Coordinates of all heavy atoms in Angstrom, one line a residue:
A537 N 49.8 -131.2 227.9 CA 50.7 -130.2 228.4 C 51.8 -130.8 229.2 O 52.9 -130.3 229.2 CB 49.9 -129.3 229.2
H538 N 51.6 -131.9 229.8 CA 52.6 -132.3 230.9 C 53.3 -133.7 230.6 O 54.2 -134.0 231.4 CB 51.9 -132.3 232.2 CG 51.4 -130.9 232.6 ND1 52.3 -129.9 232.9 CD2 50.1 -130.4 232.8 CE1 51.5 -128.8 233.2 NE2 50.2 -129.3 233.1
D539 N 52.6 -134.5 229.9 CA 53.2 -135.9 229.9 C 54.6 -135.9 229.5 O 55.1 -135.2 228.6 CB 52.4 -136.8 228.8 CG 52.4 -138.2 229.2 OD1 53.4 -138.7 229.8 OD2 51.5 -139.1 228.8
T540 N 55.5 -136.8 230.2 CA 56.9 -136.9 230.0 C 57.2 -137.9 228.9 O 58.3 -138.0 228.4 CB 57.6 -137.3 231.2 OG1 57.0 -138.4 231.8 CG2 57.6 -136.1 232.2
D541 N 56.2 -138.8 228.6 CA 56.4 -139.8 227.4 C 56.0 -139.2 226.1 O 54.8 -138.8 226.0 CB 55.5 -141.1 227.8 CG 55.8 -142.1 226.7 OD1 56.8 -142.8 226.8 OD2 55.0 -142.1 225.8
P542 N 56.9 -139.2 225.1 CA 56.7 -138.4 223.9 C 55.5 -139.2 223.2 O 54.7 -138.4 222.6 CB 58.0 -138.6 223.1 CG 58.9 -139.3 223.9 CD 58.3 -139.7 225.2
F543 N 55.3 -140.5 223.3 CA 54.3 -141.0 222.6 C 52.9 -140.7 223.1 O 52.0 -140.1 222.4 CB 54.4 -142.6 222.5 CG 53.1 -143.2 221.9 CD1 52.9 -143.0 220.5 CD2 52.1 -143.7 222.8 CE1 51.7 -143.5 220.0 CE2 50.8 -144.0 222.2 CZ 50.7 -144.1 220.8
T544 N 52.8 -140.9 224.5 CA 51.4 -140.6 225.1 C 51.1 -139.1 225.1 O 49.9 -138.6 225.1 CB 51.3 -141.2 226.6 OG1 52.5 -141.0 227.2 CG2 50.9 -142.5 226.5
R545 N 52.1 -138.3 225.0 CA 51.8 -136.8 224.9 C 51.3 -136.5 223.5 O 50.3 -135.7 223.4 CB 53.2 -136.0 225.1 CG 52.8 -134.6 225.2 CD 54.2 -133.7 225.5 NE 53.8 -132.4 225.8 CZ 54.8 -131.4 226.0 NH1 56.1 -131.8 225.8 NH2 54.4 -130.2 226.1
W546 N 51.9 -137.1 222.5 CA 51.4 -137.0 221.1 C 50.1 -137.5 221.1 O 49.1 -136.8 220.4 CB 52.3 -137.7 220.1 CG 51.8 -137.7 218.7 CD1 51.8 -136.8 217.8 CD2 50.9 -138.9 218.2 NE1 51.1 -137.2 216.7 CE2 50.6 -138.4 216.9 CE3 50.5 -140.2 218.7 CZ2 49.8 -139.3 216.1 CZ3 49.8 -140.8 217.9 CH2 49.4 -140.4 216.6
E547 N 49.9 -138.6 221.7 CA 48.5 -139.4 221.6 C 47.4 -138.6 222.2 O 46.3 -138.5 221.8 CB 48.6 -140.7 222.4 CG 47.4 -141.5 222.4 CD 47.0 -142.3 221.2 OE1 47.3 -141.8 220.1 OE2 46.7 -143.5 221.3
A548 N 47.9 -137.8 223.4 CA 46.8 -136.9 223.9 C 46.3 -135.9 223.0 O 45.2 -135.5 222.9 CB 47.5 -136.2 225.2
G549 N 47.2 -135.2 222.2 CA 46.8 -134.2 221.1 C 45.9 -135.0 220.1 O 45.0 -134.4 219.7
N550 N 46.3 -136.2 219.8 CA 45.5 -136.8 218.7 C 44.2 -137.2 219.3 O 43.3 -137.1 218.6 CB 46.4 -138.1 218.5 CG 46.0 -138.8 217.2 OD1 46.0 -138.1 216.2 ND2 45.6 -140.1 217.2
N551 N 44.0 -137.5 220.5 CA 42.7 -137.8 221.1 C 41.9 -136.6 221.2 O 40.7 -136.7 220.9 CB 43.0 -138.5 222.5 CG 43.3 -139.9 222.6 OD1 42.9 -140.5 221.5 ND2 44.1 -140.4 223.5
L552 N 42.5 -135.5 221.7 CA 41.8 -134.2 221.6 C 41.2 -133.9 220.2 O 40.0 -133.6 220.1 CB 42.6 -133.2 222.1 CG 42.8 -132.8 223.6 CD1 43.7 -131.5 223.7 CD2 41.4 -132.6 224.2
A553 N 42.0 -134.1 219.2 CA 41.7 -133.7 217.9 C 40.5 -134.7 217.5 O 39.4 -134.3 216.8 CB 42.8 -133.8 216.9
R554 N 40.7 -136.1 217.7 CA 39.7 -136.9 217.5 C 38.3 -136.6 218.1 O 37.3 -136.7 217.3 CB 40.1 -138.4 217.8 CG 39.1 -139.5 217.3 CD 39.6 -140.8 217.7 NE 40.8 -141.2 217.0 CZ 42.0 -141.4 217.5 NH1 42.2 -141.3 218.9 NH2 43.1 -141.9 216.8
A555 N 38.3 -136.3 219.3 CA 37.0 -136.1 220.0 C 36.4 -134.8 219.4 O 35.2 -134.8 219.2 CB 37.4 -135.9 221.5
S556 N 37.3 -133.8 219.1 CA 36.8 -132.6 218.6 C 36.0 -132.9 217.2 O 34.9 -132.3 216.8 CB 37.8 -131.5 218.4 OG 37.4 -130.4 217.7
L557 N 36.8 -133.7 216.4 CA 36.2 -133.9 215.0 C 35.0 -134.8 215.1 O 34.0 -134.4 214.4 CB 37.3 -134.8 214.2 CG 38.5 -134.0 213.8 CD1 39.7 -134.8 213.5 CD2 38.2 -132.9 212.7
I558 N 35.0 -135.7 216.1 CA 33.7 -136.6 216.1 C 32.6 -135.7 216.5 O 31.3 -135.7 216.1 CB 33.9 -137.7 217.1 CG1 35.1 -138.6 216.6 CG2 32.7 -138.5 217.3 CD1 34.8 -139.7 215.7
A559 N 32.9 -134.8 217.5 CA 31.8 -133.9 218.0 C 31.2 -132.9 216.8 O 30.1 -132.7 216.6 CB 32.3 -132.9 219.1
T560 N 32.2 -132.4 216.1 CA 31.8 -131.7 214.9 C 30.9 -132.5 213.9 O 30.0 -131.9 213.4 CB 33.0 -131.1 214.3 OG1 34.0 -130.3 215.2 CG2 32.6 -130.2 213.0
I561 N 31.5 -133.6 213.6 CA 30.7 -134.4 212.6 C 29.3 -134.9 213.1 O 28.2 -134.9 212.4 CB 31.6 -135.8 212.3 CG1 32.9 -135.2 211.6 CG2 30.8 -136.7 211.4 CD1 34.0 -136.4 211.6
T562 N 29.3 -135.3 214.4 CA 28.0 -135.9 214.8 C 27.0 -134.8 215.5 O 25.8 -134.9 215.5 CB 28.2 -136.9 216.0 OG1 29.0 -136.3 217.0 CG2 28.9 -138.0 215.3
R563 N 27.6 -133.6 216.0 CA 26.7 -132.7 216.6 C 27.0 -131.3 216.1 O 26.4 -130.3 216.6 CB 27.0 -132.7 218.2 CG 26.9 -134.1 218.8 CD 26.7 -134.0 220.3 NE 27.8 -133.2 220.9 CZ 28.9 -133.7 221.4 NH1 29.2 -135.0 221.3 NH2 29.8 -132.9 222.0
G564 N 27.8 -131.1 215.2 CA 27.9 -129.8 214.5 C 28.8 -128.9 215.4 O 28.5 -127.6 215.2
T565 N 29.4 -129.3 216.5 CA 30.1 -128.4 217.4 C 31.3 -127.6 216.7 O 32.0 -128.2 215.8 CB 30.6 -129.1 218.6 OG1 31.4 -130.0 218.3 CG2 29.6 -129.6 219.5
D566 N 31.8 -126.6 217.2 CA 33.0 -125.8 216.7 C 34.2 -126.6 217.3 O 34.2 -127.4 218.1 CB 33.1 -124.4 217.4 CG 32.0 -123.6 216.6 OD1 31.6 -123.9 215.5 OD2 31.6 -122.5 217.3
P567 N 35.4 -126.4 216.5 CA 36.6 -127.0 217.0 C 36.9 -126.8 218.4 O 36.6 -125.7 218.8 CB 37.6 -126.4 216.0 CG 36.7 -126.0 214.8 CD 35.4 -125.6 215.3
D568 N 37.5 -127.7 219.1 CA 37.8 -127.7 220.5 C 38.9 -126.7 220.7 O 40.0 -127.0 220.4 CB 38.0 -129.1 221.0 CG 38.2 -129.1 222.6 OD1 38.3 -128.0 223.1 OD2 38.6 -130.1 223.1
P569 N 38.6 -125.6 221.5 CA 39.7 -124.7 221.8 C 40.9 -125.4 222.5 O 42.0 -125.0 222.5 CB 39.1 -123.6 222.7 CG 37.6 -123.9 222.7 CD 37.5 -125.1 222.1
A570 N 40.6 -126.4 223.4 CA 41.7 -127.1 224.1 C 42.7 -127.7 223.2 O 43.8 -127.6 223.4 CB 41.0 -128.2 225.0
W571 N 42.3 -128.3 222.0 CA 43.2 -128.8 221.1 C 44.0 -127.6 220.4 O 45.1 -127.7 220.3 CB 42.5 -129.6 220.0 CG 43.4 -130.1 219.0 CD1 44.2 -131.2 219.1 CD2 43.7 -129.6 217.6 NE1 45.0 -131.5 218.0 CE2 44.6 -130.5 217.1 CE3 43.3 -128.6 216.9 CZ2 45.3 -130.3 215.8 CZ3 43.8 -128.4 215.6 CH2 44.9 -129.3 215.1
I572 N 43.2 -126.7 220.0 CA 43.9 -125.4 219.4 C 45.0 -124.8 220.3 O 46.0 -124.6 219.9 CB 42.8 -124.4 218.9 CG1 42.0 -125.0 217.8 CG2 43.5 -123.1 218.4 CD1 40.9 -124.2 217.4
N573 N 44.5 -124.6 221.5 CA 45.5 -123.9 222.4 C 46.7 -124.9 222.7 O 47.9 -124.4 222.7 CB 44.9 -123.6 223.7 CG 43.8 -122.4 223.5 OD1 43.9 -121.7 222.4 ND2 42.8 -122.5 224.3
G574 N 46.3 -126.1 223.0 CA 47.5 -127.2 223.2 C 48.5 -127.2 222.2 O 49.7 -127.2 222.4

Side-chain angles (χ1 to χ4, degrees):
H538 301 292
D539 204 333
T540 51
D541 180 83
F543 172 77
T544 34
R545 189 174 188 192
W546 171 83
E547 180 81 317
N550 199 48
N551 281 331
L552 272 181
R554 182 180 291 114
S556 174
L557 290 164
I558 300 274
T560 304
I561 296 161
T562 56
R563 303 200 305 274
T565 56
D566 286 339
D568 182 358
W571 181 77
I572 294 174
N573 296 335

